Amino acid sequence: MMYGQILHPHSPDGCFINVNVGGFKQRMEHNVLKQFPQTRLGRLLCCRSKEAVLELCDDFSPSEMEYYFDRSPRFFGYVLNFYLTGKIHLVDGLCVISFFQEIEYWGIKERHLDFCCSNKFHELMGLAGEKCWDQSSDDLQLHSSDSSIEELSASEEDIEMFEGSWCADVRRNIWIRLENPGYSTSAKVMAVTSLSVVLVSIVAMCVHSMPDFHQVDLNEKEIENPVLTFFESLCVLFFSAEFILRLAVAPSARKFLCSPLNIIDLMSIMPFYVTLACDKLDEGENTDLENVGKVVQILRLMRVFRILKLARHSAGLRSLGATLRHSSSEVGQLVLFLSVGISMFSALICFAETESEDSELQTIPIGWWWATISMTTVGYGDTFPVTLAGKLIGALCIICGLLIVALPITNIFNKFSKFYEKQRHIDLRRGNN
């Protein structure tokens, strides 16, 4: 027995309920509501207590058997039409998200949309979902990337940390000029000087690898080119002085040493001093120390990463770094798709080419290499199929590679565009300040 029937078991109006939606009153038959028992009004007929009724409506008057709903009376007209026709239509001028929330409140399902509105509803919901996802993704990613962006220049929080410390004014002025090249003319000069030394160091390292610049002593033992050694030592001394100066004026030494760019700076200069110490200790008798010195010398190649310091002056490089940092899912998908494709096509090409004596694709490991350069459209041409079946598989491999590589690239490009616009805005705001 229903709750209304308990209160008025012999009421002539027992087959009706009175609904008041935002001041709009309507009497509705039980038989109409029973056709849709899963809706909010249909579920009211099954309530056996006042508490259950109040879970479905905002208020209830037992004397008048009237249910109050604090909802839009305009939209309720479409709900009434749904109970009469069994179909719901989109409301002109109402946001599709609000429309979805309203039908969800009244317990009306999407399948009840009439065919004239169904396609439009799903199209609008798709567009709204993409915009909401993009906005939330942008807010999350740009908020999380703000920390990496702000690390590249003096932030207000860093400047406030100078208060009460030793030589606060002097350290603050030096720190701002070192970290924010756009602060003043002297800051720009310091930035240009630093970048010039970085480029000189990289050029010297490249020239050092060329055989034409190698020299040997009287014993035909290879020695360092004195000119290149001089430039290299000069650059390392400059980098060392710059690093020590930054560390001395930094508002927080711990935060400074934990910065990724500062770690790169430290690792780019440490191998030089370790190698120098090994050379002093090694007089040619201890081969172990000599080998250690060679290993450490190789570590000097890490100074090429100092080119990342260009990110201090380029919004594009900062955008690229932020994009790669926040595209781990897309990159993971790309690696997964390529791995599956490479494994499949390497096995197929090995099966197709195994009976041909002229083909080099006789094993699956060689097939991996061929599938990798084919799917990534590099195509070195060192290994290639010679049979008809192998060529067909190769064509299919290249086509699949184009599709697989193109799938996540669009999302990565969109993220790069958004990060670039955001960081340009930040740069302009800093320039105006």
Side-chain angles (χ1 to χ4, degrees):
M1 184 178 294
M2 294 174 292
Y3 182 60
Q5 293 175 338
I6 295 176
L7 292 178
H8 304 281
H10 304 292
S11 172
D13 298 333
C15 59
F16 293 92
I17 65 170
N18 298 315
V19 179
N20 186 332
V21 181
F24 176 79
K25 298 183 179 181
Q26 179 69 30
R27 174 174 290 189
M28 305 187 67
E29 296 184 5
H30 287 186
N31 293 334
V32 174
L33 300 180
K34 287 180 180 179
Q35 296 178 12
F36 306 96
Q38 300 301 321
T39 62
R40 184 173 290 265
L41 296 181
R43 289 160 57 195
L44 280 175
L45 302 180
C46 301
C47 294
R48 300 181 180 275
S49 66
K50 186 174 182 179
E51 290 75 14
V53 171
L54 292 177
E55 289 181 0
L56 298 175
C57 63
D58 297 304
D59 200 2
F60 172 65
S61 175
S63 59
E64 301 178 4
M65 287 299 296
E66 190 171 41
Y67 302 87
Y68 298 91
F69 297 89
D70 188 15
R71 307 297 293 187
S72 170
R74 175 171 173 249
F75 185 84
F76 186 67
Y78 289 81
V79 176
L80 290 177
N81 184 69
F82 160 73
Y83 280 106
L84 296 176
T85 63
K87 296 294 182 180
I88 188 76
H89 294 267
L90 291 176
V91 180
D92 294 335
L94 184 63
C95 170
V96 66
I97 300 297
S98 299
F99 175 83
F100 177 76
Q101 293 173 347
E102 286 292 334
I103 63 173
E104 189 178 41
Y105 174 82
W106 292 108
I108 303 173
K109 304 299 181 182
E110 295 179 25
R111 65 174 182 272
H112 294 132
L113 277 165
D114 205 349
F115 71 93
C116 60
C117 299
S118 178
N119 292 336
K120 183 179 179 181
F121 169 79
H122 290 97
E123 180 181 354
L124 293 175
M125 282 295 294
L127 293 175
E130 290 179 2
K131 290 181 179 179
C132 291
W133 184 90
D134 289 343
Q135 184 64 35
S136 60
S137 178
D138 291 346
D139 293 341
L140 176 62
Q141 293 173 352
L142 293 175
H143 175 74
S144 59
S145 66
D146 281 345
S147 58
S148 59
I149 296 172
E150 297 297 332
E151 285 176 358
L152 301 179
S153 62
S155 64
E156 296 180 359
E157 182 181 355
D158 290 337
I159 296 176
E160 292 177 356
M161 294 176 64
F162 284 105
E163 299 296 334
S165 60
W166 60 278
C167 300
D169 294 335
V170 177
R171 292 172 56 214
R172 182 190 299 111
N173 292 331
I174 298 176
W175 173 258
I176 294 176
R177 285 167 173 78
L178 289 173
E179 296 295 313
N180 190 356
Y183 179 74
S184 64
T185 303
S186 60
K188 292 179 180 179
V189 171
M190 297 171 66
V192 171
T193 303
S194 177
L195 291 176
S196 300
V197 176
V198 170
L199 295 178
V200 170
S201 175
I202 295 174
V203 171
M205 181 184 62
C206 296
V207 172
H208 188 272
S209 65
M210 300 172 63
D212 295 339
F213 292 90
H214 292 175
Q215 294 185 359
V216 294
D217 58 10
L218 297 177
N219 298 325
E220 298 298 326
K221 181 180 179 181
E222 187 174 338
I223 61 174
E224 298 287 344
N225 188 302
V227 178
L228 296 178
T229 302
F230 170 77
F231 278 106
E232 181 182 357
S233 301
L234 187 63
C235 293
V236 172
L237 289 175
F238 178 86
F239 295 147
S240 303
E242 182 186 28
F243 182 83
I244 294 173
L245 179 60
R246 288 179 181 272
L247 178 60
V249 300
S252 173
R254 180 179 180 181
K255 183 178 179 181
F256 177 85
L257 294 175
C258 292
S259 173
L261 286 181
N262 295 326
I263 293 175
I264 292 174
D265 291 344
L266 180 61
M267 295 182 67
S268 65
I269 60 178
M270 283 302 296
F272 175 83
Y273 294 105
V274 176
T275 304
L276 186 62
C278 291
D279 291 340
K280 294 296 182 181
L281 295 174
D282 180 21
E283 297 179 354
E285 298 177 358
N286 192 330
T287 56
D288 292 337
L289 285 178
E290 184 178 356
N291 293 332
V292 171
K294 291 180 179 179
V295 172
V296 175
Q297 191 74 11
I298 295 175
L299 295 177
R300 293 168 58 190
L301 292 173
M302 294 182 62
R303 67 174 179 262
V304 74
F305 292 108
R306 294 187 65 86
I307 199 68
L308 294 176
K309 291 168 68 69
L310 290 172
R312 298 179 185 270
H313 319 288
S314 173
L317 286 177
R318 293 199 300 270
S319 301
L320 178 61
T323 302
L324 294 177
R325 178 182 175 186
H326 296 282
S327 299
S328 57
S329 60
E330 287 81 1
V331 174
Q333 291 176 6
L334 179 60
V335 172
L336 176 62
F337 296 158
L338 286 175
S339 300
V340 173
I342 290 171
S343 301
M344 180 179 66
F345 284 108
S346 61
L348 291 176
I349 199 68
C350 179
F351 175 78
E353 299 284 309
T354 187
E355 296 182 359
S356 175
E357 297 179 356
D358 299 332
S359 177
E360 298 180 3
L361 299 171
Q362 300 289 333
T363 62
I364 289 182
I366 298 178
W368 287 343
W369 170 249
W370 170 84
T372 301
I373 61 178
S374 297
M375 294 196 72
T376 55
T377 67
V378 176
Y380 290 120
D382 54 348
T383 54
F384 52 88
V386 296
T387 64
L388 177 61
K391 292 178 179 179
L392 293 176
I393 294 174
L396 183 61
C397 178
I398 295 172
I399 294 174
C400 292
L402 289 172
L403 297 175
I404 289 175
V405 172
L407 288 176
I409 294 299
T410 303
N411 291 335
I412 296 176
F413 174 76
N414 291 336
K415 288 184 180 181
F416 174 81
S417 300
K418 293 166 186 175
F419 278 116
Y420 182 70
E421 291 298 327
K422 176 69 175 179
Q423 295 185 6
R424 282 189 60 190
H425 174 72
I426 292 174
D427 290 342
L428 291 174
R429 186 176 60 190
R430 287 175 183 164
N432 294 331
N433 293 336

